Amino acid sequence: MALFEEEMDTSPMVSSLLSSLANYSNLPTGSKEHEEAENIEEGARPSKKPVTAPQLGTLMGVYLPCIQNIFGVILFLRMTWMVGVGGVFGSFIIVFMCCSTTMLTAISMSAIATNGVVPAGGSYYMISRSLGPEFGGAVGICFYLGTTFAGAMYILGCIEILLIYIIPQAAIFKIEGLEGPEAELALLNNMRVYGTIVLSFMALVVFVGVKYVNKLALVFLACVILSILSVYAGVIKTAVDPPVFPVCLLGNRTLLSKSYDICAKVIEIDNDTVTTKLWRSFCDSDSLNATCDDYFINNNVTEIQGIPGVTSGILAENLFGNYLEKGMLLEKRGITVDVDPDSPTTNSNRYVLADITSFFTLLVGIYFPSVTGIMAGSNRSGDLRDAQKSIPIGTIAAITTTSTVYISCVVLFGACIEGVVLRDKFGEGVNGNLVIGTLAWPSPWVIVFGSFFSTCGAGLQSLTGAPRLLQAIARDGIIPFLRVFGHGKDNGEPTWALLLTACICEIGIIIASLDAVAPILSMFFLMCYMFVNLACALQTLLRTPNWRPRFKFYHWALSFLGMSLCLSLMFICSWFYAIIAMGIATCIYKYIEFCGAEKEWGDGIRGISLSAARFALMRLEEGPPHTKNWRPQLLVLVSVDADQNVEQPRLLSLTNQLKAGKGLTIVGTSIQGTFLDNYTEAQRADQSLRKLMETEKVKGFSQVVISSNLRDGTSHLIQVGGLGGLKHNTVMVSWPRNWKQPDYHQQFRNFIEVVRETTVASMALLVPKNISSYPSNGERFTEGHIDVWWIVHDGGMLMLLPFLLRQHKVWRKCKMRIFTVAQLDDNSIQMKKDLMTFLYHLRIDAAVEVVEMHDGDISAYTYEKTLIMEQRSQILKQMHLTKNEMEREIQSITDSSRGSIRRKNSTAVRPHHSAEEGASVAEEEESVAVSNPKQVQLIHSKNTSTPTSPTSPTAPAGGATTWTDNKAADKGRNLTPTNLETGKDLFNMKPEWEHLNQTDVRRMHTAMRLNEVIMKKSKEAKLVLLNMPGPPKNRVGIENYMEFLEVLTEGLNRVLLVRGGGREVITIYS
């Protein structure tokens, strides 16, 4: 293996990798570890080997836990009522819909669970790792809230069984003697008090140690199975010997058991007719001639069997629903009664009444919690011997079993039990017995105690599982404010999470109605199942390489069907609760998106983004964008220092203000060197760019290029930046601030090349000058102007940029002014009208002004400035010569300059001498250079002092601060350089000017005249935008080009030079 010695330092050998994978232990942060930790705390023998998590099979690890979690309080307390109200047919539809939903979800869950190792965390882990931290956190919280409210529902069911069917005398708020709303309120208050007591006791048990819960789990499971078996045994018995549970009817109305002792109006005792308790309930006295209720007099009392038996044919009567309004009487179908439809119902407290208004969607919401619990197997994946085999088989088998039981119960209840008894929710017509208990064999108490203990166990399981789910979410760190709930006792017991769970559970206890709490937790479970289906469908459709489930019996269409069913059931149950649940999930999603920790879990949402991005890029390739859709897609070229920090951070501030987060932004820089040697520096530079982009809130991409020289690196960025149709169309680069100094000689040459390349590539170019004086994103201009100097048409860039800037809060209060230049043969009045019309059609609000600038005679000052510019150009060209050659070159230039100045001094007009003084200063400085060649650098820096910056005083339009020192600037500040007659005289007397390039003279003249006009109009403007002249076509005279731009922008604080890309970017059409 000598060939791979270097790789072995960073990559493991295959043998060691396989060993570590084979010995992978996936112990959940669940009850087993805490039980082991508590055993150690209690003083287990040191010699005893540590207890390992049991390797459970499919039956004990998945099937039975799912059975225990699915069968619950709804089956025992509400199933018979649902069949009575909704009918066998309606109840069958409800059960089939809900069971189909859970079966489809189980198929999707099996595919996800068998696609690799699933640590503890169950549905939360699967969803978060499949759909990303945002969806995972949102659905994880929903699943946690659902589990918590399930605990409240189980506790309420437990209290309902206790106070109504086992010990009614234990009620603190007595119900005896109360009627209507008062009795209902007393019942709810009893539920609240006892519910809080039971919740506190259960929370204490969980806090002390979950090992007690685990030890009792099998007992609770046995109670559930025994209760269901007793129901089936009772059904079989009814076919042979139906139990005696008489129901007393007055006419067709069901009477309360406590309102009579004998189901008759009168009885014969020793040949005497004696009135019964029932008579006394409806009449004003015991006598036979007493005044009685009309309905009581006109209708007979009959006694029917509550459990006629499976062979009685009662199924036909119970086939269809009988939905009731709150307070309606429970009436038996098929009995004719004598009743006056106009007379009000009297003595209604003697009849069994409907306690709530029932309808189909309510039944769905109440029933759905009885099919939840399918995640129990995946939650225990760490304890399974072969999770990828056991989870699908065990979960689907459990759902099949429970669905069969539920569907059979719907049919058997409708076939065995009288309709009025089924609709009697609390068994008030059958001596207060639990209705499903009347069917059980050998005794109703089997069901009563079995359901009581099973609900207690389910409540404990919920209070055990919910805090661990919250702890798993908190420890993932995706929701910052939940991190405190990741802590607990030394053995990992989630103490704080348990406390929060108990508090949320108390909310459900305060609601106090089982029928009101059930739809709430239905919402949360349905949302969780919906996202499980979505995760499976996405992974299947995206065909990510890692999607290789061992479970093969899945399809994306099944997952979408399951997702659609979940969403439909949410709104069927309660559109109000559905919107609230989705609102909670959305808020958590957005919170994680903005504030949560960034996690990369290889989720499916990232796969969707990639697919969508590829599709969009392929569409963009079809052609260039229409003018209406054009926006500056920026490539921002920045430079970095030796520590890889950005030197012009305000460039990104301007980018943010210009883009406002829209469109493409690429921030690029180049590093000199080779890829192998400078890769680490490039990484640091990229991190620096990303950090600055985050600080300046620039949404875009960073790109670092390593090249043998910076010029080529910048060229590569311009050429290859972007991807496909998503490419930059505008380049922003800062003005080379110190371009006149020899050390920065290459910098301005690179700048000129950028200008040339953008011109060739038909890209727009933005060059902010004095970038350090631009405002940061936190600044606000309360007033001021953005001035646009529109000299040549560039496709509308000059119009579009101020509009974009004014969308940002920094520039929002600034007014826009547009200046254009009229020459001698232009009609300035008509130009202004046309420009105002143009702006009106563009829907741009701006003031308009036309500036007249005629071509006058070229002043002596212009010639002198051109002469010194060319002298400087010659000096710059010699900077790379040897020392002796440099001295000779500077000497010859200086002699030539000195001769011209002497001739000028002998003939110049004294009152107009600013150019004379500027040249004399140049003579003095250049003489110093000749006397001491070592001071060439100093001379150059003096001759080329930087134009106005945020910290330097602003020079006047015709000032000489471009090439003189401060002393010369002060001396020439009050002098006038432009006198036409003097210019002519000077021209006639200076033959050396005839050798100047007349094109350069005209350009210098234009730059100076424009600068004068701009300074006059826009000196106080917050920002000046003007056309950037094109670069020279050949390599000669590039220093002159920089000088022209310097003169053009001299004295202006913030200037944005704009060069269009050769296409229209703004249109008047809609």
Side-chain angles (χ1 to χ4, degrees):
M1 291 297 171
L3 187 61
F4 298 97
E5 283 179 352
E6 294 184 1
E7 282 79 1
M8 288 180 192
D9 294 336
T10 56
S11 304
M13 290 292 294
V14 174
S15 57
S16 60
L17 176 67
L18 292 177
S19 175
S20 62
L21 290 177
N23 295 325
Y24 175 76
S25 62
N26 180 29
L27 300 180
T29 53
S31 58
K32 298 297 179 186
E33 288 82 344
H34 303 313
E35 183 176 338
E36 292 162 18
E38 287 175 3
N39 287 335
I40 294 171
E41 288 175 4
E42 290 171 4
R45 292 191 303 272
S47 59
K48 186 178 180 180
K49 293 182 179 179
V51 180
T52 58
Q55 296 298 301
L56 300 175
T58 303
L59 180 67
M60 295 299 294
V62 180
Y63 180 77
L64 291 180
C66 284
I67 291 287
Q68 182 183 0
N69 279 268
I70 293 173
F71 285 136
V73 63
I74 301 296
L75 172 64
F76 301 119
L77 295 183
R78 294 293 182 268
M79 190 77 170
T80 53
W81 173 76
M82 185 185 78
V83 174
V85 173
V88 172
F89 185 67
S91 300
F92 179 84
I93 293 175
I94 294 172
V95 172
F96 182 78
M97 276 198 311
C98 295
C99 291
S100 299
T101 302
T102 54
M103 179 61 78
L104 292 172
T105 304
I107 292 172
S108 299
M109 184 193 71
S110 299
I112 299 174
T114 58
N115 187 49
V117 178
V118 178
S123 60
Y124 162 69
Y125 181 89
M126 289 187 291
I127 294 172
S128 62
R129 269 57 177 180
S130 298
L131 292 179
E134 294 88 0
F135 278 110
V139 180
I141 292 296
C142 287
F143 191 51
Y144 163 74
L145 291 174
T147 307
T148 304
F149 276 105
M153 183 187 72
Y154 290 129
I155 291 173
L156 290 174
C158 170
I159 302 303
E160 184 176 310
I161 295 169
L162 180 70
L163 292 182
I164 295 179
Y165 305 114
I166 299 179
I167 316 176
Q169 301 80 12
I172 296 175
F173 300 90
K174 299 299 181 183
I175 303 177
E176 296 294 332
L178 299 179
E179 299 177 3
E182 294 180 352
E184 183 180 351
L185 180 62
L187 176 61
L188 293 180
N189 287 332
N190 284 323
M191 302 281 279
R192 292 179 180 117
V193 172
Y194 277 99
T196 303
I197 294 171
V198 172
L199 173 62
S200 303
F201 175 74
M202 287 185 174
L204 183 64
V205 170
V206 174
F207 175 76
V208 169
V210 292
K211 64 180 180 180
Y212 304 113
V213 179
N214 294 325
K215 288 176 179 177
L216 292 173
L218 284 177
V219 176
F220 298 142
L221 177 61
C223 292
V224 172
I225 295 175
L226 185 63
S227 300
I228 293 172
L229 290 177
S230 71
V231 171
Y232 280 106
V235 169
I236 295 171
K237 183 177 179 296
T238 61
V240 181
D241 182 20
V244 179
F245 279 100
V247 179
C248 190
L249 302 178
L250 176 60
N252 63 349
R253 299 175 180 176
T254 308
L255 293 169
L256 287 172
S257 299
K258 62 182 179 181
S259 65
Y260 66 90
D261 49 1
I262 299 173
C263 186
K265 295 181 181 180
V266 293
I267 55 175
E268 295 287 336
I269 300 178
D270 297 332
N271 294 324
D272 289 334
T273 302
V274 180
T275 58
T276 62
K277 181 180 178 182
L278 183 63
W279 178 281
R280 292 191 293 273
S281 297
F282 287 92
C283 300
D284 56 3
S285 69
D286 294 345
S287 62
L288 292 175
N289 57 358
T291 304
C292 296
D293 182 83
D294 290 341
Y295 186 84
F296 179 76
I297 295 172
N298 297 331
N299 292 279
N300 295 322
V301 175
T302 56
E303 187 176 72
I304 61 172
Q305 277 300 321
I307 312 292
V310 72
T311 58
S312 63
I314 197 71
L315 179 65
E317 185 180 322
N318 293 330
L319 204 55
F320 298 101
N322 187 5
Y323 297 102
L324 303 172
E325 295 285 336
K326 182 177 181 179
M328 283 182 64
L329 305 174
L330 266 63
E331 298 175 344
K332 179 174 172 56
R333 294 171 178 170
I335 297 179
T336 57
V337 293
D338 183 4
V339 60
D340 184 2
D342 296 329
S343 63
T345 302
T346 56
N347 294 302
S348 60
N349 59 330
R350 308 301 179 189
Y351 304 112
V352 179
L353 306 176
D355 66 322
I356 60 172
T357 300
S358 55
F359 40 90
F360 180 79
T361 57
L362 174 72
L363 299 184
V364 176
I366 292 175
Y367 171 74
F368 187 80
S370 65
V371 297
T372 61
I374 63 174
M375 301 289 184
S378 62
N379 289 344
R380 296 167 180 247
S381 58
D383 299 331
L384 301 175
R385 185 183 305 113
D386 185 358
Q388 298 192 5
K389 177 183 176 184
S390 298
I391 289 177
I393 296 174
T395 305
I396 292 174
I399 293 175
T400 304
T401 304
T402 54
S403 300
T404 304
V405 170
Y406 283 139
I407 291 174
S408 63
C409 282
V410 167
V411 176
L412 293 175
F413 289 165
C416 294
I417 306 177
E418 178 63 49
V420 290
V421 178
L422 287 173
R423 291 186 286 277
D424 186 359
K425 183 185 289 186
F426 301 111
E428 295 171 305
V430 284
N431 296 318
N433 282 297
L434 181 63
V435 174
I436 193 174
T438 61
L439 189 61
W441 180 85
S443 167
W445 290 106
V446 175
I447 286 284
V448 171
F449 282 106
S451 59
F452 176 76
F453 285 116
S454 70
T455 51
C456 288
L460 281 172
Q461 293 284 358
S462 297
L463 288 178
T464 303
R468 282 162 182 75
L469 179 60
L470 181 63
Q471 187 181 45
I473 298 171
R475 286 183 172 175
D476 259 348
I478 57 175
I479 304 178
F481 71 85
L482 289 182
R483 284 176 184 155
V484 65
F485 298 107
H487 306 297
K489 293 197 294 186
D490 293 338
N491 62 346
E493 189 75 19
T495 309
W496 292 106
L498 176 62
L499 183 62
L500 179 66
T501 302
C503 292
I504 297 175
C505 198
E506 180 64 22
I507 296 174
I509 299 296
I510 291 173
I511 295 174
S513 171
L514 185 70
D515 301 323
V517 173
I520 296 176
L521 64 101
S522 294
M523 292 302 120
F524 294 122
F525 279 120
L526 279 167
M527 184 170 292
C528 177
Y529 296 166
M530 180 177 72
F531 281 103
V532 169
N533 285 297
L534 175 62
C536 180
L538 281 182
Q539 298 278 31
T540 307
L541 289 174
L542 291 173
R543 296 178 181 175
T544 51
N546 190 54
W547 181 245
R548 303 183 300 274
R550 194 174 296 278
F551 179 77
K552 301 298 181 184
F553 304 100
Y554 68 94
H555 193 271
W556 64 266
L558 293 176
S559 299
F560 266 117
L561 179 61
M563 185 180 70
S564 303
L565 270 174
C566 290
L567 188 62
S568 302
L569 286 175
M570 285 178 68
F571 284 93
I572 287 174
C573 293
S574 171
W575 65 268
F576 181 68
Y577 283 154
I579 291 175
I580 291 178
M582 295 175 78
I584 292 173
T586 303
C587 291
I588 297 170
Y589 178 95
K590 299 305 291 185
Y591 176 79
I592 297 173
E593 186 177 43
F594 286 111
C595 305
E598 293 185 3
K599 300 282 185 181
E600 177 50 65
W601 288 331
D603 50 87
I605 296 299
R606 180 62 58 89
I608 291 180
S609 302
L610 289 173
S611 298
R614 184 183 63 85
F615 176 77
L617 283 172
M618 298 301 290
R619 290 290 301 273
L620 283 175
E621 288 280 12
E622 294 178 2
H626 190 274
T627 301
K628 289 185 288 187
N629 297 326
W630 194 95
R631 65 169 65 247
Q633 315 284 14
L634 285 178
L635 168 62
V636 185
L637 297 176
V638 298
S639 56
V640 292
D641 56 20
D643 296 327
Q644 314 307 326
N645 294 319
V646 178
E647 292 180 337
Q648 308 99 354
R650 285 295 169 89
L651 266 180
L652 295 190
S653 302
L654 178 61
T655 302
N656 174 270
Q657 295 157 24
L658 191 60
K659 300 290 291 182
K662 305 296 189 298
L664 172 70
T665 302
I666 301 173
V667 182
T669 188
S670 56
I671 293 178
Q672 188 167 349
T674 63
F675 187 78
L676 295 179
D677 297 336
N678 300 93
Y679 180 72
T680 305
E681 294 178 20
Q683 293 291 96
R684 288 205 309 270
D686 188 64
Q687 291 297 324
S688 178
L689 291 182
R690 289 175 183 271
K691 186 176 181 181
L692 184 60
M693 290 172 69
E694 184 178 351
T695 303
E696 297 293 344
K697 298 180 181 178
V698 174
K699 295 181 180 179
F701 309 98
S702 60
Q703 194 165 359
V704 180
V705 171
I706 304 173
S707 181
S708 57
N709 60 74
L710 298 181
R711 169 68 245 127
D712 290 344
T714 305
S715 178
H716 295 158
L717 283 171
I718 294 174
Q719 292 178 58
V720 302
L723 180 63
L726 195 65
K727 292 181 69 70
H728 56 274
N729 53 30
T730 305
V731 176
M732 181 187 289
V733 61
S734 179
W735 176 263
R737 187 163 50 96
N738 300 319
W739 67 272
K740 296 178 182 179
Q741 298 180 14
D743 291 346
Y744 296 90
H745 183 65
Q746 189 60 38
Q747 183 182 4
F748 85 81
R749 289 184 176 276
N750 293 346
F751 172 77
I752 298 293
E753 290 302 309
V754 170
V755 179
R756 283 201 178 101
E757 288 173 1
T758 54
T759 304
V760 171
S762 299
M763 295 180 185
L765 179 65
L766 307 180
V767 183
K769 197 164 180 284
N770 300 330
I771 186 64
S772 57
S773 68
Y774 277 67
S776 65
N777 292 327
E779 297 180 40
R780 304 285 185 277
F781 287 131
T782 56
E783 57 182 0
H785 295 93
I786 299 176
D787 286 357
V788 176
W789 284 84
W790 192 21
I791 301 166
V792 294
H793 182 56
D794 57 354
M797 277 288 287
L798 283 172
M799 306 293 176
L800 186 61
L801 292 176
F803 171 77
L804 295 176
L805 282 173
R806 291 183 64 223
Q807 306 303 306
H808 196 274
K809 51 193 173 184
V810 173
W811 305 93
R812 191 165 293 153
K813 300 291 182 65
C814 292
K815 305 295 183 183
M816 182 175 166
R817 297 189 301 188
I818 296 182
F819 298 90
T820 188
V821 176
Q823 296 191 0
L824 189 61
D825 54 348
D826 293 329
N827 184 342
S828 59
I829 297 175
Q830 188 61 39
M831 280 181 66
K832 184 172 182 178
K833 288 182 179 178
D834 293 344
L835 181 55
M836 291 178 68
T837 304
F838 181 56
L839 291 176
Y840 175 78
H841 288 307
L842 287 177
R843 292 90 64 200
I844 291 178
D845 183 22
V848 174
E849 186 171 344
V850 177
V851 179
E852 296 184 357
M853 194 178 79
H854 305 305
D855 284 336
D857 292 334
I858 300 174
S859 66
Y861 178 69
T862 303
Y863 279 102
E864 280 299 329
K865 190 136 186 163
T866 308
L867 176 63
I868 293 177
M869 175 189 72
E870 293 195 353
Q871 291 172 356
R872 180 181 297 111
S873 298
Q874 292 182 46
I875 292 175
L876 288 172
K877 290 175 184 176
Q878 305 304 321
M879 285 304 159
H880 298 289
L881 302 177
T882 63
K883 181 177 180 182
N884 293 332
E885 290 173 331
M886 189 184 301
E887 290 177 5
R888 288 196 299 270
E889 188 67 27
I890 293 177
Q891 183 65 51
S892 64
I893 296 171
T894 307
D895 291 343
S896 173
S897 177
R898 185 180 292 117
S900 67
I901 293 169
R902 284 171 182 166
R903 286 190 292 274
K904 176 184 68 177
N905 287 340
S906 63
T907 56
V909 182
R910 296 298 298 172
H912 306 281
H913 58 283
S914 66
E916 182 181 323
E917 292 193 5
S920 64
V921 173
E923 175 190 2
E924 294 171 4
E925 293 174 349
E926 288 163 0
S927 298
V928 174
V930 174
S931 62
N932 188 358
K934 294 181 179 179
Q935 297 183 10
V936 172
Q937 173 67 36
L938 178 61
I939 296 167
H940 185 68
S941 61
K942 283 188 177 182
N943 278 341
T944 58
S945 60
T946 310
T948 54
S949 67
T951 58
S952 64
T954 304
T961 55
T962 303
W963 76 95
T964 61
D965 62 5
N966 292 336
K967 179 179 177 183
D970 293 338
K971 289 169 67 177
R973 188 160 295 175
N974 299 319
L975 304 178
T976 306
T978 55
N979 184 297
L980 299 181
E981 294 181 2
T982 304
K984 291 178 182 179
D985 294 339
L986 287 170
F987 182 77
N988 294 332
M989 297 178 185
K990 295 182 180 178
E992 69 274 13
W993 287 352
E994 297 176 3
H995 303 292
L996 294 176
N997 187 325
Q998 294 304 309
T999 303
D1000 288 345
V1001 174
R1002 288 196 306 274
R1003 287 174 176 169
M1004 180 65 74
H1005 176 67
T1006 303
M1008 292 177 62
R1009 291 296 306 278
L1010 269 176
N1011 180 260
E1012 290 174 13
V1013 175
I1014 294 172
M1015 282 294 294
K1016 182 179 178 182
K1017 299 287 186 180
S1018 303
K1019 185 176 181 180
E1020 301 300 326
K1022 301 299 183 186
L1023 179 64
V1024 176
L1025 290 87
L1026 55 88
N1027 291 109
M1028 183 178 183
K1033 295 182 179 179
N1034 51 32
R1035 305 286 176 180
V1036 180
I1038 59 175
E1039 298 88 352
N1040 298 349
Y1041 175 70
M1042 297 294 292
E1043 188 69 44
F1044 293 145
L1045 295 181
E1046 197 74 74
V1047 171
L1048 179 63
T1049 58
E1050 192 172 15
L1052 298 172
N1053 189 21
R1054 299 185 192 94
V1055 186
L1056 184 60
L1057 297 171
V1058 179
R1059 184 159 175 77
R1063 63 160 292 168
E1064 293 294 328
V1065 300
I1066 195 167
T1067 179
I1068 64 174
Y1069 298 105
S1070 61

